[in-house]
Amino acid sequence: MGTGREASVSLDGVRDKNMMQLKKLNTVLFPVRYNDKYYADAISSGEFTKLAYYSDICVGAIACRLETKGGTMRVYIMTLGVLAPYRGIGIGSKLLNHVLDMCTKQNVSEIYLHVQTNNEDAIKFYKKFGFDITDTIPDYYINIEPRDCYVVTKSFAQI
Amino acid sequence: MGASLPPKEANLFKLIVKSYETKQYKKGLKAADAILKKFPSHGETLSMKGLTLNCMDRKTEAYELVRLGVKNDIKSHVCWHVFGLLYRSDREYREAIKCYRNALRIDPENLEILRDLSLLQAQMRDLSGFVETRQQLLTLKPNHRMNWIGFAVSQHLNANASKAVEILEAFEGTLEDDYPPENELCEHTEMILYKVSLLEEIGAFDKALEELHKKEPKIVDKLSYKELEVSLLSKLGRPAEADKLYRVLLSMNPDNYRYYEGLQKCFGLYSESGQYSSDKIEKLNALYQSLSEQYTRSSAVKRIPLDFLQDESFKEAVAKYIKPLLTKGVPSLFSDLSSLYDHPRKPDILEQVVVEMEHSIRTTGSYPGSDVKEPPSTLLWTLFFLAQHYDKRGQYDVALGKIDEAIAHTPTVIDLYSVKSRIMKHAGDLTAAAALADEARCMDLADRYINSECVKRMLQADQVTLAEKTAVLFTKEGDQINNLHDMQCMWYDLASGDSYFRQGDLGRALKRFLAVEKHYTDISEDQFDFHSYCLRKMTLRSYVDMLKFQDRLHSFPYFHKAAIRAIRCYLKLHDSPKSTAEEDGMSKMAPAQKKKMKKQRKAEERAKKEAESKSEESTASGVSKSGKKNVKPVDPDPHGQKLIQVEEPMAEASKYLRLLQKHSPNALETHLVSFEVNMRKQKFLLAFQAVKQMLKLDAENSDSHRSLIKFFLKTESTSAPTTEAEKLRWSVLEAERPSISQLQNKSLVEVNEDFLGRHKDSLVHRAAYAEMLYLLDPSKKTEAIKTIEDSTDKVVQTNGAQREWKLKDCIAVHKLLDTVLLDSEAASRWKSRCAEYFPCSTYFEGKRSSVMPDSVYNSSRKSNDNGDAPNHPMGQTEMSDGQVEAFKSLSVST
């Protein structure tokens, strides 16, 4: 499956009323349980956290946290994921592109994330969007192997 | 008015009337007191003072004063009119009519009183009186349009439609040619359409059509014009013209089923039962083929053929119908098709078609015979459909497998959880059903429907407190339970009452059931305002429809259900002595549940106290702040404790029984409760009537059989008649007995054996036989139990295993063994047998039900009982076997 007929993909924000959708996605997509702070950060990031709908079904999400560092704003991607049956049809790219657009509009200095060192698909994916590996943190993960992670960053030229 | 008073006081009297009309009650009261100082016994003033006080919530004083007023001035039409108004405000319409009549005897041409009287007569359906009053109004004021219309409508309601037409024609004769003016076009249209529909009603189709065509330029409602025209054309047997017009209507709205029905009739291709000869099916198919080419956007034109097509052509059509909807993702597809499941062969065909699709999508990604790739969601919706399909067919295991797979595929679709909840309900696990409905609810907190569905499931699982908390999430701020009441939320009243009934809390249960009855009274009251409004606005067709609807209001299912249940409450109250009624309910419960109930009661009492002190505070502050009372009167009996103190429960039950007998005479249950009530009241002839009704409606029904045996056992065992009344009764029964075909010179034991002979294979009937066997001869207990235990569950072979036994019947049998036949060993044997059959049933403690300690729902249940656990623990457990491999491609985590 994958290349289906034309189906519309739309994005929607995360609010108190539909937060359970994000939680459902995370339970299936990631081996980690997220705490309340994650969801609070996600909601307060506003336009930087989005659910993706594939013909009215919620199938993926990007969740970011906004940070300020020395007067400039940076964005940390907490999670980005799409349900297995709906991968390979550009939904992840659409989510990431939306956030990158927001970064340019809102003068964000850089956007970064952590990724497990063996997750080659993810690294390849982000490199396509101009991200680079900027650091390695040993023993970042406690419960999963390998325990190391890369920091993957994209900087924006400041205007 | 006030004629007998000197000028100064007469003016004051006018002021009272004016103040009453403008709602300045204090001012009116002052004026009244000023007159009464000088003329303390002036009747009309006393009356008006009373009427004013009535509006200030001082009812008792009001009645005293008004009565005194009438007494002091019995010849005054004012006093009688006021008395009538007072009764009307308390909805005592019969009394009010009497008062108005007295007033009119004194002042026969008083327009105001005549108008008021006519409204009451319409409300009370005193139709001949209504005609009379309306005629008088017209005679007195023939230049008022409303009086003509009112007279015509009254004749129509009094079953004299042709007279109504004559009156309307006479009225039209008084109109100028250029009538109506611009701003009354709509009203005039309504009048013409009303007249035409009257002509249609009396069968003067020719004249109706002629009239319609003649008035066409004056009719602004073009759609109604066309619909009336087409209906008349059909009735006149002019199918060619009707056909043409139906197609015009279809081009306006190609999804109106009535137009299709009408069109079929034009071709002689319509049958009420939906059964057609193969020749007709072919013609119908051709008709819909051509229609579907014409109205491509219509879904009705695609759906209707599924009803009449058979076998191969059905199979082809249904596949064609389903495919695009599964691709698009239409959650309501199953309920759209569910009516097809009444057909003997169509469910099998549907199963075959959709299972084929499922297989093809899994293996090739496309529908059978196609190479167009389906989007990933098609598999999801196919599984979703199949889950509902197997649920409908009672194959809960398969249904659960499908829905679980769908959830694993796309866990974010809310409908999946709702459907799983429904499957669990059908499979007999109400706790799990409630937990799943709550999970669905949490996924969209802004959706009222999902919230309501969840509340209903919680009530079905007897989680009343939690259900109330959930329900009020969608009510307005403030007094929550009253708000639900004000919204006339009847499904809630019924489900909540049922739960209290199961838990043995008859007071609260009755409270809820009687609330439904109250809603119906309110709906009936609500028509009052329309008697004047509709005549003024000329919406006569809708008005008459509304009155007809009101006339059969009490035959609607919610009322029927509530009345039956209320009567069952009263039966229980009658059977268990008053003081112990509550204890009784408690003793039947398991100890754990008892503890829970006690806890709940305590918590409620605490809450009640708090609420009381709060409301006291708010009343105090409310009064001091604004001086106005905006606090609603507190319900003096919120838990129905007074309701169960009733002296004669059977007298109360009879009230509701009468309504049922009048409005639901075709429901077996009506006569079953009538039988139960009248046996207890020792009204044997009425009970006999109920038995006869049941036999007439369904002689083979197990309840009919039970009632028949019980009745004759009771009446035959009573000793020989002694009193006159008893002798009379005995002779009536003796005369009636031969008319009952089941009895024909047979003993009751033989009747019972015959019954078993006719229904050897049915569990329900075997159980009824066994119960009666034991009742007729208690020494036959072992035989009775053996009859039940020897029953075998036939597995119906239709493409898969389907049980014939229904869960609810098996539960009833268990209760029979346990509490009537009193054999706990047989009951427990039955229980373990059924636990095999219904592994999800909590009642039988099936191994997959939530009562099992390792059930996922078991933990969730605990958190549920404590109330607000917003994120459901079930979520994780459910997903743990889901996709962990999701991690490998796009996911990134902190």
Side-chain angles (χ1 to χ4, degrees):
Chain A
M1 282 178 281
T3 52
R5 293 172 194 167
E6 281 295 302
S8 61
V9 176
S10 58
L11 303 185
D12 187 20
V14 176
R15 297 167 294 274
D16 281 344
K17 302 271 187 203
N18 65 1
M19 200 167 69
M20 202 58 190
Q21 294 277 357
L22 183 58
K23 285 189 180 168
K24 281 272 172 209
L25 284 173
N26 287 346
T27 358
V28 197
L29 291 172
F30 311 109
V32 184
R33 285 273 294 153
Y34 293 95
N35 53 20
D36 291 347
K37 184 174 177 303
Y38 165 97
Y39 292 100
D41 284 344
I43 287 181
S44 62
S45 78
E47 277 295 305
F48 288 86
T49 294
K50 285 281 172 186
L51 298 170
Y53 285 83
Y54 175 85
S55 56
D56 294 329
I57 307 168
C58 179
V59 296
I62 187 163
C64 299
R65 181 169 70 218
L66 303 184
E67 299 170 345
T68 41
K69 186 183 162 197
T72 58
M73 184 160 73
R74 29 180 230 170
V75 171
Y76 173 64
I77 302 179
M78 300 191 286
T79 54
L80 167 59
V82 175
L83 291 174
Y86 305 87
R87 288 178 197 157
I89 46 179
I91 295 173
S93 302
K94 183 154 182 161
L95 283 165
L96 185 56
N97 272 328
H98 167 80
V99 164
L100 293 177
D101 277 356
M102 290 313 297
C103 288
T104 337
K105 276 185 197 149
Q106 302 210 2
N107 253 344
V108 170
S109 61
E110 63 171 25
I111 179 165
Y112 74 108
L113 60 130
H114 295 122
V115 59
Q116 208 177 1
T117 48
N118 68 338
N119 194 345
E120 283 164 27
D121 285 340
I123 296 163
K124 213 172 102 193
F125 174 78
Y126 285 108
K127 281 195 171 165
K128 248 190 354 202
F129 289 85
F131 284 75
D132 275 313
I133 294 174
T134 49
D135 202 356
T136 308
I137 307 176
D139 292 333
Y140 180 79
Y141 298 105
I142 305 156
N143 294 325
I144 45 177
E145 287 297 329
R147 296 161 62 133
D148 303 349
C149 84
Y150 293 130
V151 178
V152 181
T153 312
K154 176 182 170 94
S155 300
F156 296 93
Q158 293 295 307
I159 315 157
Chain B
M1 280 185 288
S4 55
L5 294 168
K8 191 190 158 207
E9 275 73 25
N11 277 336
L12 274 173
F13 188 81
K14 273 180 201 150
L15 182 68
I16 310 177
V17 177
K18 202 180 147 207
S19 310
Y20 170 75
E21 277 160 7
T22 52
K23 296 188 175 168
Q24 293 174 302
Y25 303 125
K26 277 195 181 162
K27 210 166 150 191
L29 209 55
K30 242 185 221 164
D33 285 335
I35 302 176
L36 289 175
K37 218 179 227 172
K38 274 198 186 162
F39 305 96
S41 61
H42 186 248
E44 294 183 354
T45 309
L46 285 167
S47 294
M48 279 311 294
K49 185 181 172 186
L51 191 61
T52 308
L53 285 174
N54 182 48
C55 298
M56 300 168 81
D57 275 331
R58 287 159 68 178
K59 284 248 178 263
T60 8
E61 288 171 76
Y63 271 94
E64 269 169 34
L65 283 168
V66 172
R67 281 211 181 89
L68 191 63
V70 173
K71 204 176 131 198
N72 288 353
D73 195 353
I74 204 153
K75 285 258 148 63
S76 156
H77 71 267
V78 176
C79 291
W80 282 110
H81 192 188
V82 166
F83 206 6
L85 288 171
L86 188 62
Y87 274 128
R88 194 182 88 178
S89 76
D90 284 329
R91 298 172 169 185
E92 301 250 23
Y93 298 136
R94 283 187 200 290
E95 292 303 312
I97 288 179
K98 280 185 209 158
C99 294
Y100 287 153
R101 286 208 178 282
N102 280 334
L104 285 172
R105 213 165 284 149
I106 299 153
D107 186 5
E109 301 198 346
N110 188 315
L111 289 172
E112 211 178 320
I113 303 179
L114 279 168
R115 247 197 314 270
D116 279 348
L117 176 63
S118 79
L119 300 180
L120 287 180
Q121 286 167 327
Q123 177 77 11
M124 299 308 292
R125 303 291 191 276
D126 169 10
L127 297 175
S128 55
F130 185 42
V131 170
E132 208 178 290
T133 313
R134 275 286 152 194
Q135 180 160 26
Q136 211 166 349
L137 275 166
L138 179 61
T139 323
L140 290 171
K141 264 214 168 340
N143 54 348
H144 261 209
R145 183 186 72 182
M146 199 168 144
N147 287 343
W148 287 92
I149 305 301
F151 186 36
V153 170
S154 70
Q155 290 287 3
H156 180 202
L157 291 176
N158 199 27
N160 198 346
S162 40
K163 188 88 188 165
V165 174
E166 279 170 35
I167 297 162
L168 288 176
E169 256 158 17
F171 169 62
E172 282 174 315
T174 70
L175 300 175
E176 309 283 329
D177 279 345
D178 61 349
Y179 192 85
E182 240 356 78
N183 58 354
E184 282 183 26
L185 279 171
C186 292
E187 281 88 344
H188 193 60
T189 297
E190 283 296 327
M191 198 200 77
I192 299 167
L193 292 174
Y194 176 60
K195 188 178 155 194
V196 175
S197 64
L198 281 174
L199 287 167
E200 186 180 18
E201 195 177 309
I202 56 177
F205 305 133
D206 263 324
K207 208 173 160 221
L209 192 62
E210 192 189 319
E211 175 77 11
L212 193 66
H213 285 151
K214 200 172 84 194
K215 298 281 172 62
E216 203 237 304
K218 291 196 172 174
I219 297 174
V220 287
D221 181 351
K222 295 297 177 203
L223 183 65
S224 293
Y225 173 83
K226 288 199 176 72
E227 288 184 343
L228 252 177
E229 188 184 12
V230 84
S231 146
L232 289 167
L233 285 171
S234 313
K235 285 180 179 157
L236 281 166
R238 288 155 70 173
E241 289 158 90
D243 171 20
K244 230 169 150 185
L245 192 48
Y246 270 125
R247 286 174 200 264
V248 174
L249 283 165
L250 278 174
S251 65
M252 294 163 77
N253 178 3
D255 278 308
N256 190 326
Y257 276 59
R258 251 174 297 167
Y259 300 162
Y260 288 102
E261 192 184 303
L263 198 57
Q264 276 176 238
K265 281 180 185 157
C266 292
F267 293 98
L269 292 173
Y270 182 76
S271 102
E272 201 69 46
S273 65
Q275 303 288 336
Y276 300 96
S277 64
S278 57
D279 168 49
K280 284 196 169 169
I281 291 177
E282 227 164 88
K283 282 186 188 153
L284 272 173
N285 200 16
L287 172 66
Y288 277 95
Q289 278 294 334
S290 76
L291 288 172
S292 70
E293 280 155 29
Q294 208 173 341
Y295 311 110
T296 45
R297 293 171 60 90
S298 159
S299 44
V301 80
K302 300 187 186 81
R303 172 66 184 81
I304 294 170
L306 301 183
D307 290 333
F308 60 75
L309 289 174
Q310 304 287 334
D311 305 318
E312 269 311 301
S313 46
F314 170 75
K315 187 175 174 185
E316 205 176 299
V318 84
K320 201 174 148 205
Y321 182 77
I322 289 178
K323 280 179 197 166
L325 300 181
L326 288 179
T327 304
K328 195 177 169 201
V330 178
S332 60
L333 177 61
F334 184 80
S335 60
D336 176 24
L337 295 181
S338 64
S339 63
L340 300 174
Y341 283 78
D342 299 332
H343 190 278
R345 292 185 306 277
K346 287 181 181 178
D348 285 346
I349 302 178
L350 266 167
E351 183 166 315
Q352 210 184 329
V353 166
V354 184
V355 166
E356 239 170 72
M357 288 181 190
E358 181 200 4
H359 179 74
S360 169
I361 291 167
R362 269 186 216 279
T363 48
T364 68
S366 313
Y367 286 127
S370 154
D371 50 11
V372 184
K373 285 270 176 232
E374 284 301 310
S377 51
T378 306
L379 178 60
L380 160 75
W381 295 117
T382 309
L383 290 167
F384 181 65
F385 183 92
L386 282 172
Q388 294 169 89
H389 166 86
Y390 288 115
D391 175 41
K392 179 97 180 176
R393 309 204 87 186
Q395 292 167 259
Y396 306 120
D397 279 355
V398 194
L400 282 174
K402 296 291 173 197
I403 202 69
D404 281 340
E405 204 186 326
I407 291 175
H409 181 280
T410 309
T412 46
V413 176
I414 301 171
D415 304 77
L416 302 181
Y417 300 88
S418 301
V419 161
K420 188 172 178 187
S421 159
R422 208 167 310 141
I423 299 171
M424 289 313 270
K425 184 189 85 168
H426 296 153
D429 193 336
L430 297 171
T431 316
L436 282 156
D438 195 44
E439 192 175 2
R441 181 187 72 82
C442 289
M443 287 170 73
D444 188 352
L445 297 170
D447 188 320
R448 187 187 204 125
Y449 172 76
I450 309 175
N451 197 77
S452 297
E453 195 174 40
C454 173
V455 171
K456 199 167 173 183
R457 294 276 179 276
M458 287 169 168
L459 289 172
Q460 285 162 346
D462 292 341
Q463 303 164 355
V464 182
T465 328
L466 190 62
E468 266 173 32
K469 266 191 211 159
T470 312
V472 300
L473 293 174
F474 276 86
T475 57
K476 277 185 236 150
E477 297 290 314
D479 197 347
Q480 311 294 11
I481 292 304
N482 266 344
N483 192 258
L484 278 172
H485 185 81
D486 292 343
M487 289 191 296
Q488 304 187 326
C489 192
M490 294 196 250
W491 64 262
Y492 179 82
D493 285 325
L494 284 175
S496 162
D498 280 343
S499 178
Y500 282 126
F501 186 78
R502 280 191 297 269
Q503 298 178 52
D505 189 343
L506 291 179
R508 281 189 174 82
L510 257 182
K511 187 93 191 164
R512 295 286 187 282
F513 296 143
L514 297 190
V516 175
E517 196 262 341
K518 174 89 180 18
H519 295 324
Y520 275 86
T521 313
D522 287 343
I523 295 170
S524 184
E525 292 298 333
D526 286 343
Q527 66 179 311
F528 194 88
D529 295 337
F530 291 99
H531 301 309
S532 51
Y533 179 84
C534 289
L535 289 189
R536 209 167 56 237
K537 290 283 173 189
M538 279 286 207
T539 50
L540 306 172
R541 288 175 305 155
S542 328
Y543 174 58
V544 174
D545 276 351
M546 187 270 292
L547 294 184
K548 284 184 184 151
F549 155 78
Q550 291 278 1
D551 286 340
R552 55 188 167 84
L553 187 64
H554 284 85
S555 64
F556 278 76
Y558 276 142
F559 178 79
H560 177 77
K561 285 183 189 163
I564 293 275
R565 286 155 162 87
I567 293 173
R568 290 204 186 284
C569 285
Y570 285 122
L571 287 171
K572 249 193 168 171
L573 278 176
H574 175 90
D575 293 348
S576 46
K578 221 179 290 169
S579 54
T580 58
E582 201 161 316
E583 304 299 312
D584 207 41
M586 292 283 273
S587 68
K588 273 187 200 132
M589 275 182 255
Q593 214 179 343
K594 225 189 260 184
K595 216 168 150 192
K596 200 178 104 194
M597 273 282 276
K598 272 188 191 154
K599 229 172 158 184
Q600 193 184 328
R601 290 241 172 106
K602 261 189 202 156
E604 269 161 20
E605 258 157 48
R606 221 180 303 132
K608 189 175 140 195
K609 263 182 205 154
E610 268 168 38
E612 269 166 16
S613 63
K614 246 188 214 162
S615 78
E616 263 165 41
E617 270 168 41
S618 66
T619 342
S621 62
V623 169
S624 64
K625 258 184 215 155
S626 55
K628 261 190 234 159
K629 282 192 294 177
N630 44 14
V631 184
K632 280 197 185 163
V634 183
D635 186 345
D637 184 24
H639 305 319
Q641 288 308 311
K642 287 202 186 94
L643 289 174
I644 54 172
Q645 301 296 325
V646 55
E647 281 301 320
E648 284 180 72
M650 287 304 96
E652 290 297 313
S654 298
K655 275 200 248 169
Y656 302 104
L657 187 56
R658 272 194 291 279
L659 282 166
L660 280 176
Q661 284 169 327
K662 185 166 170 214
H663 295 284
S664 312
N666 291 324
L668 193 80
E669 248 191 324
T670 299
H671 305 291
L672 179 60
V673 291
S674 164
F675 172 74
E676 298 285 345
V677 169
N678 285 310
M679 285 302 271
R680 284 168 177 77
K681 285 168 80 179
Q682 309 247 319
K683 302 270 190 200
F684 293 115
L685 290 181
L686 289 175
F688 181 63
Q689 219 167 36
V691 173
K692 268 173 64 179
Q693 289 292 342
M694 287 172 82
L695 291 173
K696 201 171 101 193
L697 286 172
D698 185 357
E700 301 304 322
N701 182 286
S702 56
D703 283 325
S704 307
H705 176 68
R706 275 196 190 90
S707 307
L708 176 72
I709 300 276
K710 279 186 195 165
F711 178 77
F712 280 101
L713 181 65
K714 174 83 187 170
T715 46
E716 280 167 7
S717 63
T718 39
S719 48
T722 48
T723 65
E724 276 305 307
E726 275 173 12
K727 273 181 196 155
L728 188 66
R729 190 177 78 212
W730 189 79
S731 61
V732 169
L733 287 178
E734 219 31 41
E736 283 278 354
R737 211 182 143 126
S739 71
I740 294 176
S741 61
Q742 283 83 352
L743 294 178
Q744 305 302 353
N745 299 321
K746 283 176 201 150
S747 71
L748 291 179
V749 175
E750 285 167 329
V751 173
N752 200 29
E753 294 299 331
D754 282 358
F755 182 74
L756 178 68
R758 288 199 300 276
H759 304 285
K760 267 203 170 330
D761 296 331
S762 155
L763 175 66
V764 183
H765 293 89
R766 291 176 78 97
Y769 162 81
E771 189 183 343
M772 291 306 107
L773 184 67
Y774 175 65
L775 185 73
L776 291 166
D777 182 359
S779 70
K780 295 263 176 68
K781 183 168 156 177
T782 334
E783 204 186 321
I785 290 167
K786 191 169 166 354
T787 310
I788 292 178
E789 291 197 311
D790 284 350
S791 312
T792 46
D793 185 11
K794 266 199 320 214
V795 170
V796 190
Q797 275 302 337
T798 45
N799 253 336
Q802 256 185 299
R803 299 211 161 276
E804 200 173 61
W805 287 5
K806 300 274 174 285
L807 177 58
K808 120 177 150 332
D809 299 332
C810 291
I811 292 176
V813 167
H814 181 259
K815 286 184 177 155
L816 174 67
L817 289 168
D818 198 31
T819 59
V820 180
L821 298 172
L822 297 168
D823 186 334
S824 57
E825 265 175 46
S828 84
R829 278 198 301 274
W830 183 256
K831 186 172 171 180
S832 43
R833 188 171 166 192
C834 288
E836 294 276 314
Y837 292 163
F838 304 101
C840 290
S841 157
T842 43
Y843 183 88
F844 291 121
E845 294 173 13
K847 60 180 184 300
R848 288 173 53 199
S849 72
S850 60
V851 287
M852 291 291 120
D854 57 339
S855 159
V856 281
Y857 303 107
N858 206 324
S859 59
S860 70
R861 176 182 193 166
K862 272 174 210 140
S863 76
N864 257 347
D865 283 351
N866 295 335
D868 41 20
N871 39 358
H872 223 277
M874 218 198 75
Q876 307 101 285
T877 346
E878 192 60 24
M879 294 316 149
S880 58
D881 55 356
Q883 287 104 323
V884 185
E885 104 287 38
F887 190 50
K888 67 179 181 220
S889 98
L890 266 188
S891 22
V892 184
S893 70
T894 47

